[in-house]
Amino acid sequence: MREFSRTDRVGEQLAHELALLIQREIKDPRLGMVTVNSARVSRDLGYADVYITLMGENDEQRIGENLAVLKRARGFLRSRVARTMQLRHVPELRFHYDESVTRGHQMAELIDRAVESDRERGDDDEGTRD
């Protein structure tokens, strides 16, 4: 089994630290319930792509507002991360909306509808097999 690389470990710790900081330190009222899903750090630790979702909000305008707030706060967040993580160089932060959760919910709904449709069709077929 492959061990985690250094960038994987830094990404995990960075995501954890950012989740706490965003929840506790960012006081902007425009910021919704942000969840940090993951952080992917470049090999040279020069930048980190941070993937977030918003609890209960899929509106593109709200997503854009939240990303703008985080973009404005990235210098503050980076300086706070530098205090807690033992790194010579803290990566530049780039925030992205993670659509995988929304897609997962959509896929689950489609599967549920297909299963229900099959059940209904199965019930109809049983009534005609006398």
Side-chain angles (χ1 to χ4, degrees):
M1 194 158 90
R2 179 178 93 84
E3 289 187 29
F4 286 109
S5 68
R6 180 166 190 253
T7 57
D8 292 340
R9 290 191 311 268
V10 169
E12 270 189 39
Q13 185 178 1
L14 182 62
H16 177 74
E17 294 295 331
L18 285 171
L20 291 175
L21 286 170
I22 290 169
Q23 179 183 11
R24 295 178 182 166
E25 302 290 330
I26 305 295
K27 303 296 183 198
D28 194 312
R30 295 170 294 175
L31 194 64
M33 294 291 296
V34 173
T35 303
V36 177
N37 291 350
S38 65
R40 292 188 191 141
V41 181
S42 65
R43 285 181 122 184
D44 65 353
L45 301 179
Y47 64 90
D49 290 312
V50 181
Y51 295 90
I52 63 152
T53 55
L54 301 172
M55 298 285 284
E57 297 186 43
N58 295 328
D59 179 28
E60 287 187 35
Q61 181 180 354
R62 286 289 296 145
I63 291 167
E65 288 173 2
N66 281 268
L67 288 173
V69 169
L70 292 172
K71 185 176 181 179
R72 261 184 252 113
R74 66 182 167 191
F76 168 76
L77 291 170
R78 188 171 177 228
S79 68
R80 295 300 297 259
V81 165
R83 293 180 191 173
T84 58
M85 291 179 66
Q86 302 297 318
L87 294 173
R88 273 189 233 148
H89 177 74
V90 176
E92 293 287 331
L93 303 175
R94 302 187 304 195
F95 291 95
H96 308 278
Y97 180 71
D98 188 357
E99 295 179 358
S100 64
V101 175
T102 305
R103 285 189 198 142
H105 287 296
Q106 290 170 344
M107 291 299 291
E109 287 176 12
L110 288 173
I111 291 169
D112 290 343
R113 277 192 238 144
V115 167
E116 185 62 31
S117 174
D118 284 349
R119 280 190 192 134
E120 289 173 1
R121 206 171 316 132
D123 290 344
D124 290 344
D125 289 344
E126 287 178 17
T128 59
R129 289 186 194 170
D130 289 331

